[in-house]
Amino acid sequence: MTGTVTATADAAVAALRNGEIQWARTSLSARRVLLDEIHANTARFAQEWVDAAARIKQLSPDSPLLGEEWVSGPYSLLTATTALAESLLALEEGRSPVDGYPVHAAPGGRTAVDVFPHGLFDTLLLNGFRAEVWSRPGVDAETVRARAGLGQLTPTATGGVGVVLGAGNIFSIAPLDVLYQLYAYNRVVVLKLNPITDPLVPVFAKIFAPLVERGFLRLITGGPDIGAALVHHSGVSAVHMTGSAVTHDAIVFGSGVEGMRNRAAGTPLLTKPITSELGGVSPTIVVPGRWSAADLRYQAEHLATQRLHNNGYNCVAAQVAVIPADWPQKDRFLDELRAAIERAPRRSDYYPGSADRVADACAAYPQAQRIGARVLIEGLAPERDEPALHTEYFAPVLGVIELPGGPAEFLDHAVRVCNAEIEGTLGVNLIAHPATMRELGDRFDAAVAALRYGTVAVNAWTGLGYLTARATWGAFPGHTIADIQSGIGVVHNGLLIADPERTVVRGPFRPAPRSVLNGEFTLSPKPPWFVTNRTGATTLRRLTGFAHKPGFAALPGIFASALRG
C-alpha cells in the first residue's frame, strides 16, 4: 500500500471524525434542511446525472432505455430525501415516522406497515401497485411504532465513521447508502466510489455539497487499494458494501488460499461491523392458470424485463424462471418469452466481465439458446448441482426450471426449491392469475409468507421494491459473515423501521385497459420500466420532475406518455 493511499485514507477519516462532532450537534430540523438541499440539488443536476450515466452505459440520447437511468438515478434519490425528511419532521413533532400509515397483522405473528401508496399522487401514478413492510415474527404494532426512527431517536449518540463501498451498476445505490448510514446509523460517511462511476463524481459532488462542506461526507475514488485502506482503518467504525459475495468474502477474510483458510477457521481479517447487499440468483415463479393470449405476451415481457433491465446487471435481476411442467400453456409462454427477449432493445455489455460470464454459462450448458447476445437455458433441475442456481451471472442469462403439479402442488414445490436450492435471498417474484390466487386462497398467502426473501413481489418486479423509498431493501435476515448469501442488513427504509423482515410488493396482473375489462380495478398501463416500453425515457423523465415538485399540472403529461408506451 503506497504512502499516497494511506495519506488519502488518513485525511478523509480525520476530517470525518471532526465532522462527527458537528453531526452530533446538528438538530433534527437542521438535518431535515440538509435533505431538502440535497433534494433541490438532485433536481438541478438530474439531466447532468443521466447524461453521464448514458455515456457510461453507452446509451444513445434517444434511447427509450434512458428511462432506466432517470428512475434508478435521480428519481430514487428525490423520493428518498422526501421520505427521510418526512420521518425527521415526525420525530421533531414527537410522533413516530410510522404514524399515519396503515398498520395491520401479517401472517406468522408479524406486523405489516402499508408504505405504498402514500397519498393521492401515489395512488394516481401507480394505481394498483402496493407495498408493505413486514416486521419479524412476534413484533407487535406498538413496538414497530415506538422503535421507528433508528439513529434519529438519539441524534447526539453518533455512530462514528462509516465506509460505503459504492456499486457500479445502478447509480443511485451509493447515494442512497450514504443517506442510510447518516440517518439510520447516525454515522458520518466516506464513500469510496466504484471506478465505473468516476464520470459521475462531479455530479455527486454538486448534489452532496451540503454534506461535504459541513464535514459529514467525503467522496473518494480509486481502486481496491484505497478501499482496503479505508475499511481496515483504525478510525473507521463500520463498513457497508454492495457487490458480490466473492468480493465480500475477500474484504472480510482475505483472498486466495489465505481467505479460504480464514473463512474455514472463522477468523476474519475485518472484525468491525459490516452490512451488505450482495444479490444472488433471483427466481421468478410462474403459477399455472388459464391465461389469454394477451396475458401470455404481457407476462413474458414482464419476465424478460426482470432479467434484461440494465442488461441483467442488477443484484435482483431474475436469473431462474420456475415454471409448471404440466401447464397446458407452458410451450406458448416459453415461445412468448423467447420473442420478448428478441424484441428487447439491443445494448452494449458495458459492465466489466459480462462477455466472460456469458461464455461461462454457455460452456456449462451446451444446450443453451443464444437469442442475439442473450442466453436462455432450459432444462435446469434442482436435484442436480446446477451452476445457474448458485452462480450469479450478472449478465443477460436466464435459466428455466420446470416442476410438476397443478397450481397448489406446483407452488408448494416451487417455494421449497427457491428457499433451499437457489443461492441468495434478496428477491423473488411470483406471477399468478387473479382467479388462480382466489382458488388457492390461504395457500397462496402462506406461500408468500414462506418465501425467505428480503423482497417478495406478486405480479410485480422486486425492482419496484428498490424504487419505493419507504420500503426496505436487503436480504432476508439471518445470514452471517461465514455464510453471507445476499448480505446482512437493509437500506432505503424511509420510515426508519427497526429490524424489518421483508417488503411485499403487489401489482396488477394485467395493464389498463385490459385490467378494467377483466375485473381488475387498476388504471396503470404497461409499466414504464418494461424494456419493451417505447416511451419509458419520456415517462420516467417526467416522473422524476414530478418527484421534485409534485402537482396536478404535471399529471396529464405523465399519463399521456405512459399510455403511449
Side-chain angles (χ1 to χ4, degrees):
M1 192 174 296
T2 67
T4 301
V5 166
T6 302
T8 299
D10 286 345
V13 174
L16 286 167
R17 292 178 76 172
N18 290 327
E20 182 187 7
I21 298 171
Q22 298 306 315
W23 183 247
R25 296 171 178 168
T26 304
S27 66
L28 290 177
S29 60
R31 295 179 184 198
R32 182 165 50 83
V33 169
L34 286 171
L35 290 167
D36 292 342
E37 292 175 353
I38 294 167
H39 184 94
N41 288 346
T42 303
R44 180 181 177 188
F45 300 110
Q47 185 67 59
E48 185 177 341
W49 181 337
V50 172
D51 289 345
R55 290 193 297 272
I56 294 169
K57 298 187 179 181
Q58 302 169 41
L59 297 173
S60 64
D62 60 350
S63 172
L65 295 173
L66 283 179
E68 296 179 0
E69 302 313 312
W70 282 104
V71 76
S72 67
Y75 171 85
S76 295
L77 189 52
L78 288 165
T79 54
T81 49
T82 296
L84 285 170
E86 289 178 0
S87 291
L88 263 65
L89 178 60
L91 293 170
E92 286 176 60
E93 296 176 348
R95 299 180 287 110
S96 168
V98 172
D99 287 349
Y101 291 82
V103 179
H104 55 90
R110 299 170 174 92
T111 298
V113 181
D114 292 343
V115 298
F116 189 91
H118 176 59
L120 176 61
F121 288 139
D122 281 354
T123 302
L124 291 173
L125 287 167
L126 284 172
N127 188 264
F129 288 89
R130 295 177 288 142
E132 53 192 36
V133 174
W134 289 12
S135 74
R136 302 188 191 197
V139 179
D140 61 20
E142 182 179 351
T143 302
V144 170
R145 286 193 177 94
R147 296 186 63 200
L150 296 177
Q152 300 311 297
L153 292 172
T154 55
T156 60
T158 52
V161 176
V163 169
V164 170
L165 301 178
N169 59 327
I170 294 293
F171 298 150
S172 62
I173 291 177
L176 295 177
D177 291 349
V178 164
L179 291 184
Y180 202 68
Q181 289 291 310
L182 272 168
Y183 288 91
Y185 291 106
N186 215 27
R187 294 184 189 121
V188 291
V189 185
V190 54
L191 169 60
K192 191 276 175 187
L193 289 158
N194 187 300
I196 293 174
T197 63
D198 282 355
L200 281 161
V201 170
V203 181
F204 289 162
K206 295 172 187 175
I207 289 173
F208 284 109
L211 298 180
V212 173
E213 290 165 0
R214 290 166 176 82
F216 305 147
L217 172 66
R218 285 293 181 271
L219 301 174
I220 300 290
T221 59
D225 52 353
I226 184 63
L230 288 167
V231 300
H232 293 288
H233 197 286
S234 60
V236 166
S237 304
V239 176
H240 177 80
M241 66 160 292
T242 302
S244 71
V246 172
T247 302
H248 170 275
D249 287 350
I251 291 169
V252 173
F253 295 104
S255 56
V257 175
E258 179 194 13
M260 290 188 288
R261 185 166 53 244
N262 288 337
R263 183 178 176 188
T267 55
L269 300 177
L270 184 72
T271 56
K272 61 192 66 175
I274 179 170
T275 53
S276 50
E277 191 265 83
L278 305 176
V281 177
S282 294
T284 294
I285 300 170
V286 181
V287 183
R290 295 184 62 184
W291 296 9
S292 69
D295 295 337
L296 291 164
R297 181 183 177 93
Y298 175 79
Q299 293 298 349
E301 291 185 359
H302 193 180
L303 178 53
T305 292
Q306 293 170 8
R307 174 71 264 184
L308 298 178
H309 183 280
N310 197 32
N311 207 36
Y313 311 136
N314 289 333
C315 292
V316 78
Q319 184 168 302
V320 176
V322 184
I323 69 171
D326 302 324
W327 186 26
Q329 295 179 297
K330 176 193 70 177
D331 291 337
R332 290 185 62 192
F333 178 75
L334 288 173
D335 286 344
E336 289 287 1
L337 178 60
R338 295 184 197 97
I341 293 172
E342 176 65 35
R343 285 197 303 275
R346 298 291 178 266
R347 58 188 307 164
S348 72
D349 53 351
Y350 75 90
Y351 202 87
S354 176
D356 291 339
R357 292 188 293 275
V358 170
D360 289 345
C362 291
Y365 296 99
Q367 79 276 22
Q369 304 168 52
R370 295 298 297 256
I371 305 174
R374 292 81 184 251
V375 176
L376 183 66
I377 308 167
E378 297 185 51
L380 299 181
E383 64 271 13
R384 297 196 298 262
D385 186 19
E386 297 276 13
L389 304 187
H390 303 286
T391 303
E392 183 184 12
Y393 285 122
F394 216 66
V397 176
L398 177 64
V400 177
I401 292 176
E402 296 186 19
L403 300 177
E409 179 188 1
F410 165 81
L411 183 57
D412 289 346
H413 193 179
V415 169
R416 290 194 298 272
V417 167
C418 290
N419 283 344
E421 306 296 339
I422 296 178
E423 194 83 10
T425 66
L426 185 60
V428 60
N429 312 285
L430 294 97
I431 298 174
H433 193 287
T436 304
M437 289 193 286
R438 287 193 297 270
E439 291 166 8
L440 290 170
D442 291 343
R443 292 190 70 166
F444 188 85
D445 295 336
V448 172
L451 285 161
R452 297 176 60 82
Y453 287 82
T455 300
V456 180
V458 179
N459 290 333
W461 178 35
T462 47
L464 184 58
Y466 175 93
L467 296 173
T468 302
R470 296 172 181 86
T472 57
W473 185 251
F476 194 82
H479 301 313
T480 65
I481 59 170
D483 181 23
I484 196 63
Q485 294 274 325
S486 291
I488 296 172
V490 301
V491 290
H492 306 181
N493 188 20
L495 299 184
L496 300 174
I497 295 170
D499 295 323
E501 182 187 69
R502 73 180 81 188
T503 286
V504 178
V505 179
R506 301 178 191 271
F509 180 72
R510 305 177 181 92
R514 284 197 305 113
S515 55
V516 177
L517 297 175
N518 287 276
E520 272 191 292
F521 299 104
T522 173
L523 302 178
S524 290
K526 178 192 290 188
W529 55 84
F530 268 40
V531 293
T532 51
N533 192 300
R534 296 169 296 179
T535 61
T538 300
T539 303
L540 294 171
R541 175 175 54 79
R542 291 176 178 174
L543 187 64
T544 301
F546 182 89
H548 172 47
K549 287 188 176 180
F552 285 101
L555 295 180
I558 296 172
F559 291 150
S561 178
L563 289 169
R564 290 195 301 270

